[in-house]
Amino acid sequence: MKKCLVIGGAGFVGTNLSMNLAGKGYDVTICDCVEGSMCSSRIQNLKYIKLNYFKQKIDDGLLRQQDMVILLISSVNPDSSMANPEICYDKDIIKMIELLEQMRRCEVNRLVFVSSGGTVYGNQNIEKLREDMLTYPINHYGIMKLTQEKILLMYNQLYGMDNVIFRLANPYGEGQRKASGVGAVTAFLQNIMHGEKIYLYGQGEPVRDYIHIDDAVEMMRLCLEKRSVGSKEALYNVGTGEGNSILEVMRMAEKITARKADVVYLGTREFDVARNVLDIGRICSVIGDYECLNLELGMKRYYESLRRIM
C-alpha cells in the first residue's frame, strides 16, 4: 500500500484525486486549511490534517511516513495573479523550495505537482501543444507554474529525486466551485440554472481543452503507477487532445439545461491565449490508449449531479 500526502486535498482536484487513489488501495492523508467538517462528504472517511501550507510546516514525522507528496495548492489563479503579481512569487515558489528541502531531509523522493496546461504554453499557432515545445506564458500564474516545474526538474537532476509534473488542461465535474474563479463549464451551467448573467470576454473565441475530472485523475494515477521509476520523462500533459471554443461550451450548456443564457459581452483580456489544446501522446505512451468522455456527454453527467444538489 502506497502512502501519499495530498496537500490541497480538500479542493476540487484534490478531493477527486484522493478518492481515486483511496479507491485503488492507497493510504491517503489529506492536508488542507479548511475545517474537516467543511470538506466534501466524499472524503470524510480519509485521514485529514488541518494545516495552512503557506504559513505552517508539515511535521517531519508525518512526512517520513509518505511514499510521495502530491501538491495541488496555489495562492492565485490566472486572473488574480495579474492583479497581485507579487503574491505568487513570494509564496508559491519559496514554499515549494522549502518543501523539497524538507522532503530531502526526510528521505521522501517524489513530489507530484499538478501544474497548468492552460497557461504555461502561451500563444502559439499550433494545433496541439507538446511537452517538448518552448513555453511563452503571458500571465504571472503561468510563469509561476513554469518556474515551479523547472525547480522540480532541477531537483531530479541534481539530487536523484523522482518528481513528476502533470500539466492539466481545463477540468470540470463534481465538486468544482464557481466561486473559485476558474472553470467555464461550471460557471456556464450554474449561471444558466440559476438565471444569472454570464460574462464573456471578447466573443467567446478562445479554444480550450476541457477534461472531465474523473478522466483527469484516472490518467494521473495510471501514469504514476505505470511509468518507470526514475524515468527521464517527468512532465506529462493531461487532457483530451480535443478543443472547443468558450462560445461552443456555452451553447452546449444552453442545450443541456434547455435554457437560454443571459450573456454580457466584455472586452478581450490581453493575458488570455487564443488556443490551448494539449497533445496527450506522451502520457498515452505510458498508460496506453485512453478514451476520455466527450465534452457534451461529460457536461450532461455533471449537470445531473448539479441538479441533485440544487
Side-chain angles (χ1 to χ4, degrees):
M1 181 184 293
K2 288 190 176 295
K3 295 185 177 182
C4 56
L5 180 67
V6 185
I7 301 174
F12 168 51
V13 177
T15 293
N16 285 279
L17 182 56
S18 296
M19 286 299 299
N20 181 285
L21 293 171
K24 295 297 181 179
Y26 286 71
D27 184 350
V28 177
T29 301
I30 291 174
C31 175
D32 214 313
C33 62
V34 299
E35 290 292 340
S37 60
M38 299 299 291
C39 296
S40 167
S41 59
R42 299 161 66 206
I43 57 173
Q44 290 291 335
N45 293 328
L46 299 182
K47 288 181 285 187
Y48 183 84
I49 294 172
K50 183 184 177 185
L51 181 140
N52 187 321
Y53 168 72
F54 291 110
K55 295 181 179 179
Q56 297 170 275
K57 181 182 174 183
I58 298 167
D59 180 73
D60 281 355
L62 172 66
L63 198 56
R64 288 193 182 97
Q65 298 172 23
Q66 309 305 316
D67 295 303
M68 63 181 169
V69 176
I70 301 174
L71 182 60
L72 298 160
I73 199 166
S74 175
S75 66
V76 293
N77 60 37
D79 196 6
S80 65
S81 77
M82 301 306 291
N84 299 285
E86 70 284 352
I87 292 177
C88 56
Y89 301 110
D90 185 46
K91 286 187 175 181
D92 298 70
I93 293 172
I94 291 174
K95 190 63 183 180
M96 173 178 274
I97 294 171
E98 291 176 351
L99 176 60
L100 285 165
E101 287 297 316
Q102 185 184 9
M103 288 175 64
R104 289 181 61 217
R105 291 195 305 272
C106 294
E107 299 182 333
V108 181
N109 205 43
R110 175 183 283 182
L111 178 63
V112 178
F113 178 57
V114 179
S115 185
S116 169
T119 60
V120 299
Y121 290 106
N123 269 316
Q124 304 198 43
N125 186 26
I126 189 166
E127 189 73 13
K128 296 182 181 181
L129 300 161
R130 304 183 315 275
E131 296 90 339
D132 59 359
M133 294 175 58
L134 295 176
T135 49
Y136 303 96
I138 57 173
N139 56 52
H140 288 289
Y141 180 83
I143 293 173
M144 174 195 78
K145 292 292 187 182
L146 189 59
T147 302
Q148 290 176 297
E149 290 181 11
K150 296 295 187 184
I151 292 169
L152 289 168
L153 295 175
M154 180 188 73
Y155 272 70
N156 282 359
Q157 183 174 350
L158 294 183
Y159 306 119
M161 294 187 75
D162 190 35
N163 301 316
V164 180
I165 301 158
F166 292 118
R167 286 181 178 167
L168 180 60
N170 295 264
Y172 67 92
E174 187 174 352
Q176 191 170 43
R177 296 182 303 107
K178 187 179 71 170
S180 67
V182 296
V185 171
T186 292
F188 292 164
L189 285 175
Q190 293 196 18
N191 282 25
I192 292 174
M193 291 170 71
H194 295 291
E196 299 173 355
K197 293 184 184 297
I198 289 176
Y199 295 92
L200 276 190
Y201 292 96
Q203 298 298 309
E205 309 97 328
V207 173
R208 298 289 183 267
D209 187 340
Y210 297 94
I211 183 169
H212 193 281
I213 189 61
D214 289 348
D215 287 326
V217 299
E218 180 70 359
M219 291 173 76
M220 288 190 277
R221 180 187 62 81
L222 287 171
C223 184
L224 290 173
E225 291 178 353
K226 293 189 174 187
R227 69 183 287 276
S228 300
V229 175
S231 169
K232 67 176 182 178
E233 300 292 3
L235 173 62
Y236 301 91
N237 285 336
V238 179
T240 68
E242 302 292 334
N244 291 92
S245 73
I246 292 176
L247 186 61
E248 287 174 331
V249 176
M250 190 185 73
R251 297 302 181 212
M252 284 186 197
E254 289 180 319
K255 178 182 176 182
I256 291 165
T257 60
R259 300 181 188 181
K260 190 70 175 174
D262 182 5
V263 186
V264 177
Y265 290 94
L266 305 174
T268 57
R269 297 187 297 187
E270 65 276 5
F271 57 85
D272 284 334
V273 300
R275 179 181 178 84
N276 188 278
V277 180
L278 303 183
D279 186 311
I280 57 172
R282 179 179 289 181
I283 194 167
C284 286
S285 71
V286 175
I287 69 175
D289 292 336
Y290 189 94
E291 185 175 352
C292 294
L293 280 171
N294 70 60
L295 180 58
E296 187 168 350
L297 180 58
M299 286 178 65
K300 286 179 180 177
R301 180 183 295 183
Y302 181 30
Y303 173 61
E304 292 305 319
S305 73
L306 291 173
R307 289 181 63 189
R308 289 194 294 269
I309 61 175
M310 281 187 67

